[in-house]
Amino acid sequence: MFSKACEYGIKASIFIAINSYESKLVSPKEIAKEIDSPQAFTAKILQALVKHDIVNSIKGAYGGFEIDKNKIAKVKLAQIVNAIDGDAIYNGCGLGLHKCDEAHPCPVHDKFKSVREELKFMLENTSLEELALNIKSGASFLKV
Amino acid sequence: MFSKACEYGIKASIFIAINSYESKLVSPKEIAKEIDSPQAFTAKILQALVKHDIVNSIKGAYGGFEIDKNKIAKVKLAQIVNAIDGDAIYNGCGLGLHKCDEAHPCPVHDKFKSVREELKFMLENTSLEELALNIKSGASFLKV
DNA sequence: TATAAATAGGATAAAATTATCCGAATTAAA
DNA sequence: TTTAATTCGGATAATTTTATCCTATTTATA
Ligand code: FES
Ligand code: FES
């Protein structure tokens, strides 16, 4: 469904959010440990999230990553997915035609439409905040 | 969403089905041209579909690929996807945890569940027949 | 039986994704 | 101002996916 990079990006964002609530910066090392991902690769993904203005990086000694507290509720999954995988998953053609076009549909277009729209809706309406709160409360998990 | 191999596999199956209605065998060359895919790679995918008993191959001179006429309505998209990509797309965890487990859910589990179930339902209830008929009638297209 | 047309399948190559490594740049604190 | 901790970013490597090539095998027909 999503690329590994995107999976890591989502999980990393959630972990950063949790710590940002407590004004705590986290490092790629901590993140990788917590979400069970390769550290250097995770660092690269963090760079992408920083470039897309989803995550904030503080360079130098005692630095690390954070997300603005007042942004956590506003950041939606769709932004993260878009930053890493692009929008093909919910805007592209399911069978790889150059574009998904109502006027020139692929064989699965009508069947897929609702699935993809539900996915899109879900991604656009799920905030980092709710995902982070569920982790905090122990209702969901970032690894294993 | 799906791998290239799977996209080709689905489109190839539809094209074979259309021709099988007219008892016409088709070659990887014709298929690749019709679905705009690399021929040799397509041939490999056909081998997989044959092994999974979705497509029938007739070897030797005047041979080619076909699908049993009385099977076309019974073959569901899910079988093709499963044969090529496996079931991870609708049974695996959306964030890559080892398995999707109600008792140990990832942060997006509840949100994803319905999307994935709709996808699964769609794949399990869409037959090659209806896809082939829509191509035949000109309501949908296999390429561009 | 010989021939030609076709699928099967192994070997290889190219491209994309995933992953690692290391030095440069940055910055807080001693 | 020096040091140490840390992100940034380029180079490289490993793995997986996608794609190509070539030969072997199969089989209908002449
Ligand atoms: S054209 Fe293929 S999904 Fe719309
Ligand atoms: S545990 Fe991740 S989708 Fe179910």
Side-chain angles (χ1 to χ4, degrees), chain B residues 19-82:
Chain B
N19 283 278
S20 293
Y21 278 126
E22 298 166 12
S23 304
K24 219 181 120 194
L25 299 179
V26 288
S27 66
K29 192 176 174 183
E30 291 174 86
I31 296 169
K33 190 188 164 196
E34 207 63 28
I35 72 175
D36 196 23
S37 68
Q39 179 180 329
F41 189 46
T42 305
K44 291 282 191 240
I45 296 159
L46 290 170
Q47 286 183 30
L49 292 174
V50 169
K51 265 196 185 130
H52 281 82
D53 205 34
I54 292 165
V55 164
N56 209 242
S57 78
I58 316 291
K59 295 181 209 169
Y62 298 83
F65 295 89
E66 62 167 6
I67 300 177
D68 293 353
K69 261 177 232 161
N70 59 20
K71 233 190 199 173
I72 297 175
K74 288 178 195 151
V75 174
K76 301 297 191 295
L77 268 188
Q79 290 172 255
I80 300 173
V81 172
N82 224 287

Short mmCIF file of all heavy atoms in Angstrom, two decimals, chain B residues 19-82:
data_model
loop_
_atom_site.label_atom_id
_atom_site.label_comp_id
_atom_site.label_asym_id
_atom_site.label_seq_id
_atom_site.Cartn_x
_atom_site.Cartn_y
_atom_site.Cartn_z
N ASN B 19 -10.91 -12.35 -25.84
CA ASN B 19 -10.64 -13.20 -26.99
C ASN B 19 -11.13 -14.62 -26.79
O ASN B 19 -11.50 -15.30 -27.75
CB ASN B 19 -9.14 -13.18 -27.31
CG ASN B 19 -8.74 -11.91 -28.02
OD1 ASN B 19 -8.90 -11.79 -29.22
ND2 ASN B 19 -8.29 -10.93 -27.27
N SER B 20 -11.11 -15.06 -25.53
CA SER B 20 -11.55 -16.42 -25.27
C SER B 20 -13.04 -16.59 -25.55
O SER B 20 -13.50 -17.67 -25.91
CB SER B 20 -11.24 -16.80 -23.82
OG SER B 20 -9.83 -16.87 -23.64
N TYR B 21 -13.81 -15.49 -25.38
CA TYR B 21 -15.24 -15.55 -25.72
C TYR B 21 -15.41 -15.96 -27.17
O TYR B 21 -16.38 -16.62 -27.54
CB TYR B 21 -15.90 -14.20 -25.50
CG TYR B 21 -16.28 -13.93 -24.06
CD1 TYR B 21 -15.86 -12.78 -23.42
CD2 TYR B 21 -17.07 -14.84 -23.35
CE1 TYR B 21 -16.20 -12.53 -22.10
CE2 TYR B 21 -17.41 -14.60 -22.03
CZ TYR B 21 -16.98 -13.44 -21.41
OH TYR B 21 -17.32 -13.20 -20.12
N GLU B 22 -14.43 -15.57 -27.99
CA GLU B 22 -14.49 -15.91 -29.42
C GLU B 22 -13.55 -17.06 -29.75
O GLU B 22 -13.12 -17.23 -30.89
CB GLU B 22 -14.13 -14.68 -30.25
CG GLU B 22 -15.13 -13.55 -30.01
CD GLU B 22 -14.61 -12.21 -30.54
OE1 GLU B 22 -13.60 -12.23 -31.28
OE2 GLU B 22 -15.20 -11.18 -30.20
N SER B 23 -13.20 -17.82 -28.72
CA SER B 23 -12.32 -18.98 -28.88
C SER B 23 -11.03 -18.66 -29.61
O SER B 23 -10.51 -19.48 -30.37
CB SER B 23 -13.06 -20.09 -29.64
OG SER B 23 -14.25 -20.41 -28.95
N LYS B 24 -10.52 -17.47 -29.35
CA LYS B 24 -9.28 -17.06 -30.01
C LYS B 24 -8.13 -17.06 -29.01
O LYS B 24 -8.23 -16.46 -27.94
CB LYS B 24 -9.48 -15.64 -30.58
CG LYS B 24 -8.83 -15.43 -31.94
CD LYS B 24 -9.05 -14.00 -32.42
CE LYS B 24 -7.74 -13.27 -32.63
NZ LYS B 24 -7.93 -11.81 -32.76
N LEU B 25 -7.06 -17.77 -29.40
CA LEU B 25 -5.88 -17.74 -28.55
C LEU B 25 -5.10 -16.47 -28.83
O LEU B 25 -5.08 -15.99 -29.95
CB LEU B 25 -4.99 -18.96 -28.84
CG LEU B 25 -5.60 -20.34 -28.61
CD1 LEU B 25 -4.59 -21.42 -28.97
CD2 LEU B 25 -6.05 -20.49 -27.17
N VAL B 26 -4.44 -15.94 -27.78
CA VAL B 26 -3.61 -14.75 -27.99
C VAL B 26 -2.19 -15.00 -27.48
O VAL B 26 -1.96 -15.80 -26.59
CB VAL B 26 -4.20 -13.51 -27.28
CG1 VAL B 26 -5.44 -13.04 -28.01
CG2 VAL B 26 -4.50 -13.80 -25.83
N SER B 27 -1.25 -14.29 -28.09
CA SER B 27 0.17 -14.43 -27.75
C SER B 27 0.63 -13.28 -26.85
O SER B 27 -0.01 -12.23 -26.82
CB SER B 27 1.01 -14.42 -29.02
OG SER B 27 0.91 -13.13 -29.61
N PRO B 28 1.75 -13.48 -26.15
CA PRO B 28 2.30 -12.40 -25.33
C PRO B 28 2.52 -11.14 -26.16
O PRO B 28 2.34 -10.03 -25.67
CB PRO B 28 3.64 -12.96 -24.87
CG PRO B 28 3.47 -14.43 -24.89
CD PRO B 28 2.54 -14.71 -26.03
N LYS B 29 2.88 -11.33 -27.41
CA LYS B 29 3.12 -10.18 -28.28
C LYS B 29 1.85 -9.35 -28.46
O LYS B 29 1.86 -8.13 -28.27
CB LYS B 29 3.62 -10.67 -29.65
CG LYS B 29 4.17 -9.57 -30.53
CD LYS B 29 4.74 -10.16 -31.82
CE LYS B 29 5.15 -9.05 -32.78
NZ LYS B 29 5.63 -9.62 -34.07
N GLU B 30 0.77 -10.02 -28.82
CA GLU B 30 -0.51 -9.32 -28.98
C GLU B 30 -0.95 -8.66 -27.68
O GLU B 30 -1.41 -7.52 -27.66
CB GLU B 30 -1.62 -10.29 -29.39
CG GLU B 30 -1.51 -10.86 -30.77
CD GLU B 30 -2.61 -11.92 -30.98
OE1 GLU B 30 -3.73 -11.54 -31.35
OE2 GLU B 30 -2.34 -13.13 -30.73
N ILE B 31 -0.81 -9.43 -26.60
CA ILE B 31 -1.24 -8.92 -25.30
C ILE B 31 -0.48 -7.66 -24.93
O ILE B 31 -1.06 -6.64 -24.59
CB ILE B 31 -1.03 -9.99 -24.20
CG1 ILE B 31 -1.92 -11.21 -24.48
CG2 ILE B 31 -1.32 -9.42 -22.83
CD1 ILE B 31 -1.59 -12.43 -23.63
N ALA B 32 0.86 -7.75 -25.06
CA ALA B 32 1.70 -6.61 -24.68
C ALA B 32 1.34 -5.37 -25.49
O ALA B 32 1.32 -4.26 -24.97
CB ALA B 32 3.17 -6.96 -24.86
N LYS B 33 1.04 -5.60 -26.77
CA LYS B 33 0.68 -4.47 -27.62
C LYS B 33 -0.64 -3.85 -27.14
O LYS B 33 -0.77 -2.64 -27.05
CB LYS B 33 0.54 -4.95 -29.07
CG LYS B 33 0.42 -3.81 -30.06
CD LYS B 33 0.08 -4.33 -31.46
CE LYS B 33 -0.42 -3.19 -32.34
NZ LYS B 33 -1.11 -3.71 -33.55
N GLU B 34 -1.56 -4.72 -26.82
CA GLU B 34 -2.90 -4.25 -26.47
C GLU B 34 -2.96 -3.57 -25.10
O GLU B 34 -3.79 -2.69 -24.88
CB GLU B 34 -3.85 -5.46 -26.48
CG GLU B 34 -5.27 -5.10 -26.79
CD GLU B 34 -5.40 -4.49 -28.20
OE1 GLU B 34 -4.57 -4.83 -29.09
OE2 GLU B 34 -6.31 -3.68 -28.39
N ILE B 35 -2.11 -4.01 -24.19
CA ILE B 35 -2.18 -3.41 -22.84
C ILE B 35 -0.99 -2.48 -22.59
O ILE B 35 -0.83 -1.97 -21.48
CB ILE B 35 -2.26 -4.49 -21.74
CG1 ILE B 35 -0.92 -5.23 -21.57
CG2 ILE B 35 -3.39 -5.48 -22.04
CD1 ILE B 35 -0.92 -6.23 -20.43
N ASP B 36 -0.17 -2.29 -23.62
CA ASP B 36 0.96 -1.37 -23.52
C ASP B 36 1.92 -1.75 -22.39
O ASP B 36 2.17 -0.98 -21.47
CB ASP B 36 0.43 0.05 -23.31
CG ASP B 36 1.49 1.10 -23.59
OD1 ASP B 36 2.43 0.79 -24.34
OD2 ASP B 36 1.39 2.21 -23.04
N SER B 37 2.46 -2.96 -22.50
CA SER B 37 3.38 -3.47 -21.48
C SER B 37 4.59 -4.12 -22.14
O SER B 37 4.53 -4.47 -23.31
CB SER B 37 2.66 -4.52 -20.64
OG SER B 37 2.38 -5.68 -21.42
N PRO B 38 5.70 -4.27 -21.41
CA PRO B 38 6.87 -4.92 -21.99
C PRO B 38 6.59 -6.41 -22.22
O PRO B 38 6.15 -7.12 -21.31
CB PRO B 38 7.96 -4.72 -20.94
CG PRO B 38 7.25 -4.38 -19.68
CD PRO B 38 5.95 -3.75 -20.06
N GLN B 39 6.85 -6.85 -23.45
CA GLN B 39 6.42 -8.17 -23.86
C GLN B 39 6.99 -9.32 -23.03
O GLN B 39 6.25 -10.18 -22.55
CB GLN B 39 6.80 -8.35 -25.34
CG GLN B 39 6.41 -9.72 -25.88
CD GLN B 39 6.78 -9.87 -27.35
OE1 GLN B 39 6.79 -8.88 -28.08
NE2 GLN B 39 7.08 -11.08 -27.77
N ALA B 40 8.32 -9.34 -22.87
CA ALA B 40 8.94 -10.47 -22.16
C ALA B 40 8.50 -10.52 -20.70
O ALA B 40 8.28 -11.60 -20.14
CB ALA B 40 10.46 -10.38 -22.25
N PHE B 41 8.37 -9.33 -20.12
CA PHE B 41 7.93 -9.26 -18.72
C PHE B 41 6.49 -9.77 -18.61
O PHE B 41 6.14 -10.52 -17.69
CB PHE B 41 8.05 -7.83 -18.21
CG PHE B 41 7.83 -7.67 -16.74
CD1 PHE B 41 8.43 -8.52 -15.83
CD2 PHE B 41 7.03 -6.64 -16.25
CE1 PHE B 41 8.25 -8.36 -14.46
CE2 PHE B 41 6.84 -6.47 -14.89
CZ PHE B 41 7.44 -7.33 -14.00
N THR B 42 5.69 -9.38 -19.57
CA THR B 42 4.31 -9.84 -19.61
C THR B 42 4.25 -11.36 -19.72
O THR B 42 3.42 -12.00 -19.07
CB THR B 42 3.57 -9.18 -20.79
OG1 THR B 42 3.71 -7.77 -20.69
CG2 THR B 42 2.11 -9.55 -20.79
N ALA B 43 5.16 -11.91 -20.52
CA ALA B 43 5.19 -13.36 -20.70
C ALA B 43 5.45 -14.07 -19.37
O ALA B 43 4.85 -15.10 -19.07
CB ALA B 43 6.25 -13.74 -21.72
N LYS B 44 6.35 -13.48 -18.56
CA LYS B 44 6.63 -14.05 -17.24
C LYS B 44 5.38 -14.06 -16.36
O LYS B 44 5.10 -15.02 -15.65
CB LYS B 44 7.70 -13.24 -16.52
CG LYS B 44 9.08 -13.32 -17.09
CD LYS B 44 9.75 -14.61 -16.68
CE LYS B 44 11.22 -14.60 -17.01
NZ LYS B 44 11.60 -15.68 -17.92
N ILE B 45 4.66 -12.96 -16.41
CA ILE B 45 3.47 -12.84 -15.58
C ILE B 45 2.42 -13.85 -16.03
O ILE B 45 1.72 -14.44 -15.21
CB ILE B 45 2.93 -11.39 -15.67
CG1 ILE B 45 3.96 -10.44 -15.06
CG2 ILE B 45 1.61 -11.27 -14.94
CD1 ILE B 45 3.79 -9.01 -15.52
N LEU B 46 2.35 -14.07 -17.35
CA LEU B 46 1.41 -15.07 -17.86
C LEU B 46 1.75 -16.44 -17.31
O LEU B 46 0.87 -17.22 -16.95
CB LEU B 46 1.44 -15.07 -19.39
CG LEU B 46 0.84 -13.83 -20.04
CD1 LEU B 46 1.14 -13.79 -21.53
CD2 LEU B 46 -0.66 -13.78 -19.80
N GLN B 47 3.06 -16.73 -17.23
CA GLN B 47 3.48 -18.01 -16.65
C GLN B 47 2.93 -18.17 -15.24
O GLN B 47 2.45 -19.23 -14.85
CB GLN B 47 5.00 -18.13 -16.64
CG GLN B 47 5.62 -18.39 -18.00
CD GLN B 47 7.14 -18.56 -17.92
OE1 GLN B 47 7.67 -19.03 -16.92
NE2 GLN B 47 7.84 -18.21 -18.98
N ALA B 48 3.01 -17.08 -14.47
CA ALA B 48 2.51 -17.13 -13.09
C ALA B 48 1.00 -17.38 -13.08
O ALA B 48 0.49 -18.16 -12.27
CB ALA B 48 2.85 -15.84 -12.36
N LEU B 49 0.29 -16.72 -14.00
CA LEU B 49 -1.16 -16.88 -14.04
C LEU B 49 -1.53 -18.31 -14.45
O LEU B 49 -2.53 -18.86 -13.98
CB LEU B 49 -1.78 -15.86 -15.00
CG LEU B 49 -1.70 -14.40 -14.54
CD1 LEU B 49 -2.21 -13.46 -15.62
CD2 LEU B 49 -2.48 -14.20 -13.24
N VAL B 50 -0.70 -18.89 -15.32
CA VAL B 50 -0.93 -20.28 -15.73
C VAL B 50 -0.71 -21.19 -14.52
O VAL B 50 -1.54 -22.07 -14.24
CB VAL B 50 0.01 -20.68 -16.88
CG1 VAL B 50 -0.03 -22.19 -17.12
CG2 VAL B 50 -0.36 -19.93 -18.15
N LYS B 51 0.37 -20.96 -13.80
CA LYS B 51 0.68 -21.79 -12.62
C LYS B 51 -0.44 -21.71 -11.59
O LYS B 51 -0.72 -22.68 -10.89
CB LYS B 51 1.99 -21.33 -11.98
CG LYS B 51 3.17 -22.14 -12.46
CD LYS B 51 4.39 -21.97 -11.56
CE LYS B 51 5.57 -22.71 -12.17
NZ LYS B 51 6.78 -21.87 -12.24
N HIS B 52 -1.06 -20.55 -11.49
CA HIS B 52 -2.15 -20.39 -10.52
C HIS B 52 -3.49 -20.79 -11.11
O HIS B 52 -4.53 -20.53 -10.52
CB HIS B 52 -2.20 -18.95 -10.02
CG HIS B 52 -1.17 -18.64 -8.99
ND1 HIS B 52 0.14 -18.32 -9.31
CD2 HIS B 52 -1.22 -18.64 -7.63
CE1 HIS B 52 0.82 -18.11 -8.19
NE2 HIS B 52 0.03 -18.30 -7.17
N ASP B 53 -3.41 -21.38 -12.29
CA ASP B 53 -4.62 -21.95 -12.89
C ASP B 53 -5.70 -20.92 -13.20
O ASP B 53 -6.89 -21.22 -13.17
CB ASP B 53 -5.19 -23.02 -11.95
CG ASP B 53 -6.00 -24.03 -12.73
OD1 ASP B 53 -5.63 -24.31 -13.88
OD2 ASP B 53 -7.03 -24.51 -12.20
N ILE B 54 -5.26 -19.71 -13.49
CA ILE B 54 -6.22 -18.68 -13.87
C ILE B 54 -6.29 -18.62 -15.39
O ILE B 54 -7.35 -18.49 -15.97
CB ILE B 54 -5.78 -17.31 -13.30
CG1 ILE B 54 -5.90 -17.34 -11.77
CG2 ILE B 54 -6.62 -16.18 -13.89
CD1 ILE B 54 -5.18 -16.23 -11.07
N VAL B 55 -5.13 -18.75 -16.01
CA VAL B 55 -5.05 -18.72 -17.47
C VAL B 55 -4.58 -20.09 -17.94
O VAL B 55 -3.86 -20.80 -17.24
CB VAL B 55 -4.07 -17.60 -17.91
CG1 VAL B 55 -3.66 -17.78 -19.36
CG2 VAL B 55 -4.71 -16.24 -17.71
N ASN B 56 -4.99 -20.43 -19.14
CA ASN B 56 -4.65 -21.71 -19.74
C ASN B 56 -3.67 -21.46 -20.88
O ASN B 56 -3.88 -20.58 -21.69
CB ASN B 56 -5.95 -22.29 -20.30
CG ASN B 56 -5.90 -23.80 -20.29
OD1 ASN B 56 -5.97 -24.41 -21.33
ND2 ASN B 56 -5.76 -24.40 -19.12
N SER B 57 -2.58 -22.24 -20.92
CA SER B 57 -1.66 -22.05 -22.03
C SER B 57 -1.66 -23.26 -22.95
O SER B 57 -1.69 -24.40 -22.50
CB SER B 57 -0.24 -21.80 -21.51
OG SER B 57 0.37 -23.01 -21.11
N ILE B 58 -1.64 -22.99 -24.24
CA ILE B 58 -1.55 -24.04 -25.25
C ILE B 58 -0.18 -23.91 -25.88
O ILE B 58 0.09 -22.92 -26.56
CB ILE B 58 -2.62 -23.88 -26.35
CG1 ILE B 58 -3.98 -23.53 -25.76
CG2 ILE B 58 -2.66 -25.11 -27.23
CD1 ILE B 58 -4.63 -24.62 -24.98
N LYS B 59 0.67 -24.89 -25.62
CA LYS B 59 2.04 -24.81 -26.12
C LYS B 59 2.14 -25.22 -27.58
O LYS B 59 1.24 -25.84 -28.12
CB LYS B 59 2.94 -25.71 -25.29
CG LYS B 59 3.10 -25.29 -23.85
CD LYS B 59 4.04 -26.26 -23.13
CE LYS B 59 3.70 -26.36 -21.66
NZ LYS B 59 4.39 -27.47 -21.00
N GLY B 60 3.30 -24.91 -28.14
CA GLY B 60 3.58 -25.35 -29.50
C GLY B 60 2.94 -24.48 -30.58
O GLY B 60 2.27 -23.49 -30.28
N ALA B 61 3.18 -24.87 -31.81
CA ALA B 61 2.67 -24.10 -32.93
C ALA B 61 1.17 -23.87 -32.83
O ALA B 61 0.44 -24.76 -32.40
CB ALA B 61 3.01 -24.82 -34.23
N TYR B 62 0.75 -22.68 -33.23
CA TYR B 62 -0.66 -22.30 -33.18
C TYR B 62 -1.21 -22.29 -31.76
O TYR B 62 -2.41 -22.38 -31.55
CB TYR B 62 -1.51 -23.19 -34.10
CG TYR B 62 -1.10 -23.08 -35.54
CD1 TYR B 62 -0.02 -23.82 -36.04
CD2 TYR B 62 -1.75 -22.20 -36.39
CE1 TYR B 62 0.40 -23.70 -37.35
CE2 TYR B 62 -1.35 -22.06 -37.71
CZ TYR B 62 -0.27 -22.81 -38.19
OH TYR B 62 0.12 -22.68 -39.49
N GLY B 63 -0.28 -22.20 -30.81
CA GLY B 63 -0.69 -22.14 -29.41
C GLY B 63 -0.97 -20.72 -28.97
O GLY B 63 -1.08 -19.81 -29.80
N GLY B 64 -1.06 -20.51 -27.67
CA GLY B 64 -1.35 -19.19 -27.13
C GLY B 64 -2.01 -19.30 -25.76
O GLY B 64 -1.99 -20.37 -25.15
N PHE B 65 -2.61 -18.20 -25.32
CA PHE B 65 -3.25 -18.19 -24.01
C PHE B 65 -4.75 -18.01 -24.13
O PHE B 65 -5.23 -17.34 -25.03
CB PHE B 65 -2.65 -17.08 -23.15
CG PHE B 65 -1.19 -17.29 -22.84
CD1 PHE B 65 -0.21 -16.80 -23.70
CD2 PHE B 65 -0.80 -18.00 -21.71
CE1 PHE B 65 1.14 -17.00 -23.41
CE2 PHE B 65 0.54 -18.21 -21.44
CZ PHE B 65 1.51 -17.71 -22.29
N GLU B 66 -5.46 -18.60 -23.19
CA GLU B 66 -6.92 -18.47 -23.17
C GLU B 66 -7.40 -18.65 -21.73
O GLU B 66 -6.62 -19.00 -20.85
CB GLU B 66 -7.55 -19.58 -24.03
CG GLU B 66 -7.21 -20.95 -23.48
CD GLU B 66 -8.04 -22.09 -24.06
OE1 GLU B 66 -8.82 -21.85 -24.99
OE2 GLU B 66 -7.89 -23.22 -23.56
N ILE B 67 -8.66 -18.37 -21.53
CA ILE B 67 -9.28 -18.65 -20.24
C ILE B 67 -10.55 -19.43 -20.53
O ILE B 67 -11.32 -19.04 -21.41
CB ILE B 67 -9.62 -17.35 -19.48
CG1 ILE B 67 -8.33 -16.53 -19.24
CG2 ILE B 67 -10.30 -17.66 -18.16
CD1 ILE B 67 -8.57 -15.20 -18.56
N ASP B 68 -10.76 -20.51 -19.81
CA ASP B 68 -11.95 -21.33 -20.04
C ASP B 68 -13.18 -20.43 -20.02
O ASP B 68 -13.39 -19.68 -19.06
CB ASP B 68 -12.11 -22.39 -18.95
CG ASP B 68 -11.01 -23.43 -19.02
OD1 ASP B 68 -10.21 -23.40 -19.99
OD2 ASP B 68 -10.93 -24.28 -18.11
N LYS B 69 -13.99 -20.54 -21.06
CA LYS B 69 -15.17 -19.67 -21.16
C LYS B 69 -16.03 -19.72 -19.90
O LYS B 69 -16.50 -18.70 -19.41
CB LYS B 69 -16.01 -20.08 -22.38
CG LYS B 69 -15.76 -19.19 -23.59
CD LYS B 69 -16.57 -19.68 -24.78
CE LYS B 69 -15.66 -19.84 -25.98
NZ LYS B 69 -16.18 -20.68 -27.04
N ASN B 70 -16.23 -20.92 -19.39
CA ASN B 70 -17.10 -21.03 -18.22
C ASN B 70 -16.42 -20.61 -16.92
O ASN B 70 -16.97 -20.73 -15.85
CB ASN B 70 -17.65 -22.46 -18.10
CG ASN B 70 -16.52 -23.48 -17.98
OD1 ASN B 70 -15.38 -23.12 -17.63
ND2 ASN B 70 -16.81 -24.72 -18.27
N LYS B 71 -15.18 -20.14 -17.06
CA LYS B 71 -14.44 -19.70 -15.86
C LYS B 71 -14.44 -18.17 -15.76
O LYS B 71 -14.25 -17.61 -14.68
CB LYS B 71 -13.00 -20.19 -15.98
CG LYS B 71 -12.50 -20.98 -14.79
CD LYS B 71 -11.00 -21.15 -14.98
CE LYS B 71 -10.42 -22.27 -14.15
NZ LYS B 71 -9.01 -22.49 -14.50
N ILE B 72 -14.60 -17.53 -16.91
CA ILE B 72 -14.44 -16.07 -16.95
C ILE B 72 -15.32 -15.35 -15.94
O ILE B 72 -14.89 -14.39 -15.30
CB ILE B 72 -14.72 -15.55 -18.38
CG1 ILE B 72 -13.69 -16.15 -19.35
CG2 ILE B 72 -14.66 -14.04 -18.44
CD1 ILE B 72 -13.93 -15.82 -20.81
N ALA B 73 -16.53 -15.84 -15.76
CA ALA B 73 -17.43 -15.18 -14.81
C ALA B 73 -17.06 -15.53 -13.37
O ALA B 73 -17.44 -14.84 -12.43
CB ALA B 73 -18.87 -15.59 -15.09
N LYS B 74 -16.30 -16.61 -13.23
CA LYS B 74 -15.98 -17.06 -11.86
C LYS B 74 -14.68 -16.48 -11.34
O LYS B 74 -14.49 -16.38 -10.13
CB LYS B 74 -15.91 -18.60 -11.83
CG LYS B 74 -17.27 -19.27 -11.95
CD LYS B 74 -17.09 -20.80 -11.97
CE LYS B 74 -18.38 -21.47 -12.45
NZ LYS B 74 -18.09 -22.76 -13.13
N VAL B 75 -13.77 -16.15 -12.26
CA VAL B 75 -12.48 -15.59 -11.82
C VAL B 75 -12.69 -14.18 -11.27
O VAL B 75 -13.25 -13.33 -11.96
CB VAL B 75 -11.47 -15.56 -12.98
CG1 VAL B 75 -10.19 -14.84 -12.54
CG2 VAL B 75 -11.14 -16.97 -13.44
N LYS B 76 -12.26 -14.00 -10.04
CA LYS B 76 -12.39 -12.68 -9.41
C LYS B 76 -11.04 -11.96 -9.38
O LYS B 76 -9.99 -12.61 -9.33
CB LYS B 76 -12.91 -12.84 -7.98
CG LYS B 76 -14.27 -13.53 -7.90
CD LYS B 76 -15.35 -12.71 -8.59
CE LYS B 76 -16.75 -13.22 -8.30
NZ LYS B 76 -16.98 -14.58 -8.84
N LEU B 77 -11.09 -10.65 -9.38
CA LEU B 77 -9.86 -9.85 -9.31
C LEU B 77 -8.96 -10.31 -8.17
O LEU B 77 -7.74 -10.36 -8.31
CB LEU B 77 -10.21 -8.38 -9.09
CG LEU B 77 -10.37 -7.50 -10.32
CD1 LEU B 77 -10.51 -6.05 -9.92
CD2 LEU B 77 -9.16 -7.67 -11.24
N ALA B 78 -9.56 -10.66 -7.06
CA ALA B 78 -8.78 -11.08 -5.88
C ALA B 78 -7.84 -12.23 -6.20
O ALA B 78 -6.72 -12.28 -5.70
CB ALA B 78 -9.71 -11.46 -4.74
N GLN B 79 -8.30 -13.15 -7.05
CA GLN B 79 -7.45 -14.29 -7.40
C GLN B 79 -6.21 -13.85 -8.16
O GLN B 79 -5.12 -14.36 -7.94
CB GLN B 79 -8.22 -15.28 -8.28
CG GLN B 79 -9.32 -16.03 -7.57
CD GLN B 79 -10.14 -16.82 -8.58
OE1 GLN B 79 -11.26 -16.42 -8.90
NE2 GLN B 79 -9.59 -17.91 -9.09
N ILE B 80 -6.41 -12.91 -9.06
CA ILE B 80 -5.28 -12.43 -9.86
C ILE B 80 -4.31 -11.66 -8.99
O ILE B 80 -3.10 -11.89 -9.02
CB ILE B 80 -5.80 -11.54 -11.02
CG1 ILE B 80 -6.74 -12.35 -11.91
CG2 ILE B 80 -4.64 -10.98 -11.82
CD1 ILE B 80 -7.44 -11.53 -12.99
N VAL B 81 -4.85 -10.75 -8.18
CA VAL B 81 -3.99 -9.97 -7.28
C VAL B 81 -3.23 -10.91 -6.36
O VAL B 81 -2.02 -10.77 -6.16
CB VAL B 81 -4.84 -8.99 -6.46
CG1 VAL B 81 -3.99 -8.32 -5.38
CG2 VAL B 81 -5.45 -7.93 -7.37
N ASN B 82 -3.94 -11.87 -5.81
CA ASN B 82 -3.32 -12.82 -4.90
C ASN B 82 -2.21 -13.62 -5.56
O ASN B 82 -1.16 -13.85 -4.97
CB ASN B 82 -4.39 -13.78 -4.39
CG ASN B 82 -4.26 -13.99 -2.91
OD1 ASN B 82 -3.34 -14.66 -2.48
ND2 ASN B 82 -5.13 -13.37 -2.14
#
